[in-house]
Amino acid sequence: MSASQTSSSDVPTLLVKIFGKDRPGITAGLFDTLAAYSVDVVDIEQVVTRGRMVLCALVTAPPRPLEGDLRATVHSWAESIKMQAEIISGLGDNRPRGLGRSLVTVLGHPLTAEATAAIAAKIAKAGGNIDRIFRLAKYPVTAVEFAVSGVATEALRTALVTDAAKLGVDVAVVAAGLHRRAQRLVVMDVDSTLIQDEVIELFAAHAGCEDEVAEVTAAAMRGELDFEQSLHARVALLEGLDASVVDKVRSEVRLTPGARTLIRTLKRLGFQVGVVSGGFTQVTDDLKDRLGLDFAQANTLEIVDGKLTGKVTGEIVDRAGKARLLRRFAAEAGVPLSQTVAIGDGANDLDMLNAAGLGVAFNAKPVVREAAHTAVNVPFLDTVLYLLGVTREEVEAADAHEED
C-alpha cells in the first residue's frame, strides 16, 4: 500500500493504545504483534510520565475477517505483560493541523494547575489547538512547551503574554519551523542582566560618590536627563580616580546565576554571543575574554597618566546605539536579524529588544516587560535556553560529556 493510499481519508484505520507501567521492550512487542497482520504504520506517539507509559499507534486496518483476531491478539499480549489495551476503529490519518503553528513556552516557579488551565483556555479562545505538550525542565523552574496550531503566532502572543505576569508565569510564543534549529546570535545587556551589579556604582563606591551618582541616575529615570547626559554627569564624578581601581571593579563584578551555563550551552550549539552595555569597556572586554564572547561593545572611560579623566571616549552606547550594535553584530555574524535574540532589563534596552527576532525582558521594569516579546522573571539567566527549546537534560548531558 502506498503512502498516499495509507493517508487517504477513506482508508480504514485502527488506533491502538497501550498503557501501563513502562519497561523496556513494550514498543517492540506491540509492533511484533501487529506485524503478523501486515498492517502499515500511519502514526506513532509515546509518552512516559513518572514511569507510566501511553503508547499510541495508528495503523491501517487488516482485512475485515482478520480484524477481530488482531483485536483479540493485542489484548491477550497486553494482558500477558500486565498492560491495558484499547483499540478504536476509524478512517484515515489524524486530521490536518490548522494553519499557523507556534511553540508556546511556559515557565513557572512553581507552575500551578490554575496557571496551566488559564494558558490552555486562552489558547483555545484564540482559536488555537494544542497538538503536543513537552516538559523542557523541572528545575530551577518548571518549563513546558506547547505546540499549537490554528492561529497566527502574533495573535497568539498577544493573547497569552499580556496577562502572564498576573498568572505568575512567563510565556514566550515563537513561530515553529526549521529556523529554530538554525544558527543564532544572542546579544545581552550587561548591568543587571549578565551581571548582578551596576558598574558605574562599583566605580562610584571607590570614588566615594555613590550618593551623587544615585541622584543623577534618579534624575535620568524621572526623564530630566537623557542617557548621554546622565552618562557624562556620572562619569564626571569619577575624575581623578586612580586607574588601578579598574582591576578592583573587575574582581567585584558578580555574574548573574546561570550566566556561565547559558553562554557555555549557546556556544556548544554553535550560536554566537555578544554583549552591549551603557557601562564601560574596561569591564566588558574582561567579560568577553573570561566568558569567550564573540562580540562586546560599551563606552570607554578615558584614562590619562594613570588617572580617570571623568570623560568617555569613542562611540556612545545608548538606547539607539544598542539596537545599532545588534544589527552590526548580526551582519558580522552572518545571521539574519530575525534569528537574533536580545536580552535586557531596562528602558535603555527597548530598541534592541524590539529590533531582535526575540526580545527577552529579564527581571525587567514593567514598561520593558510590556514592550518586549517575552519576559523572564526568575533570577536564573539560563532559563532563556528553554525559550529556545533546549531542555535541562540536554544541558546536563553536555556538561557531563565535557567533564568526561
Side-chain angles (χ1 to χ4, degrees):
M1 183 178 291
S2 70
S4 61
Q5 289 173 316
T6 301
S7 61
S8 175
S9 61
D10 59 358
V11 173
T13 52
L14 298 175
L15 174 60
V16 181
K17 182 166 72 172
I18 305 297
F19 48 99
K21 185 177 180 181
D22 184 33
R23 66 183 75 90
I26 294 174
T27 304
L30 172 62
F31 286 99
D32 278 342
T33 302
L34 294 173
Y37 297 90
S38 299
V39 299
D40 293 336
V41 177
V42 179
D43 196 4
I44 310 172
E45 189 154 345
Q46 179 174 307
V47 176
V48 178
T49 304
R50 218 176 74 175
R52 308 295 290 183
M53 166 198 272
V54 178
L55 169 60
C56 293
L58 186 63
V59 300
T60 55
R64 180 69 65 180
L66 294 178
E67 184 177 326
D69 188 51
L70 179 150
R71 288 173 175 271
T73 302
V74 169
H75 280 287
S76 178
W77 167 78
E79 289 175 6
S80 73
I81 59 170
K82 296 182 171 56
M83 301 286 282
Q84 293 179 274
E86 182 180 3
I87 303 175
I88 303 171
S89 299
L91 293 175
D93 198 350
N94 302 306
R95 65 177 177 81
R97 294 180 185 175
L99 296 176
R101 299 184 185 180
S102 306
L103 297 171
V104 178
T105 306
V106 181
L107 309 178
H109 188 56
L111 179 60
T112 65
E114 179 183 9
T116 305
I119 293 295
K122 285 178 177 292
I123 291 172
K125 186 176 180 180
N129 183 73
I130 299 172
D131 300 318
R132 287 186 176 85
I133 305 175
F134 177 72
R135 187 179 73 182
L136 296 168
K138 60 183 178 182
Y139 70 91
V141 299
T142 300
V144 294
E145 182 178 88
F146 296 77
V148 177
S149 62
V151 59
T153 299
E154 286 299 327
L156 185 60
R157 180 183 292 139
T158 300
L160 296 181
V161 173
T162 305
D163 295 327
K166 297 178 184 177
L167 298 172
V169 296
D170 299 323
V171 179
V173 183
V174 298
L178 290 176
H179 67 276
R180 204 182 197 197
R181 304 251 192 270
Q183 185 190 58
R184 285 190 172 187
L185 168 69
V186 178
V187 176
M188 289 174 275
D189 173 44
V190 176
D191 293 10
S192 299
T193 299
L194 178 63
I195 66 174
Q196 300 177 59
D197 312 282
E198 294 289 331
V199 170
I200 185 66
E201 294 177 1
L202 297 180
F203 277 100
H206 289 281
C209 59
E210 300 104 311
D211 291 343
E212 293 91 334
V213 165
E215 287 177 11
V216 176
T217 301
M221 293 182 68
R222 291 193 299 269
E224 297 168 9
L225 299 171
D226 64 21
F227 176 81
E228 185 170 350
Q229 290 172 321
S230 68
L231 174 68
H232 289 304
R234 287 179 291 181
V235 171
L237 295 169
L238 306 180
E239 182 180 1
L241 194 62
D242 194 277
S244 63
V245 80
V246 169
D247 287 335
K248 295 177 182 178
V249 168
R250 287 174 175 173
S251 68
E252 292 167 351
V253 165
R254 301 166 299 162
L255 292 174
T256 297
R260 288 188 183 276
T261 299
L262 172 66
I263 294 169
R264 182 173 64 244
T265 305
L266 291 173
K267 299 295 288 182
R268 285 173 179 162
L269 291 169
F271 290 14
Q272 297 188 61
V273 185
V275 293
V276 291
S277 176
F280 310 110
T281 57
Q282 281 82 359
V283 171
T284 58
D285 287 350
D286 180 62
L287 289 170
K288 180 182 179 183
D289 292 339
R290 285 167 51 195
L291 300 173
L293 302 174
D294 300 285
F295 304 97
Q297 188 68 47
N299 301 298
T300 299
L301 292 169
E302 184 181 61
I303 298 175
V304 176
D305 297 329
K307 302 286 185 179
L308 273 66
T309 66
K311 299 177 182 178
V312 292
T313 63
E315 178 184 3
I316 296 297
V317 179
D318 55 9
R319 175 170 170 165
K322 288 187 175 185
R324 184 171 61 251
L325 287 165
L326 172 70
R327 294 185 176 93
R328 182 192 303 174
F329 293 167
E332 293 178 15
V335 174
L337 200 60
S338 61
Q339 287 299 103
T340 61
V341 179
I343 310 169
D345 74 296
N348 203 34
D349 301 310
L350 274 175
D351 289 3
M352 176 178 72
L353 297 180
N354 290 327
L358 177 64
V360 181
F362 181 73
N363 291 311
K365 300 169 181 64
V367 65
V368 182
R369 289 200 306 268
E370 292 168 7
H373 297 130
T374 188
V376 170
N377 294 300
V378 293
F380 313 108
L381 194 56
D382 54 337
T383 54
V384 173
L385 291 168
Y386 309 143
L387 306 183
L388 305 178
V390 180
T391 69
R392 172 56 62 177
E393 288 78 7
E394 289 172 325
V395 174
E396 293 176 349
D399 286 343
H401 180 72
E402 185 172 271
E403 290 172 1
D404 292 343

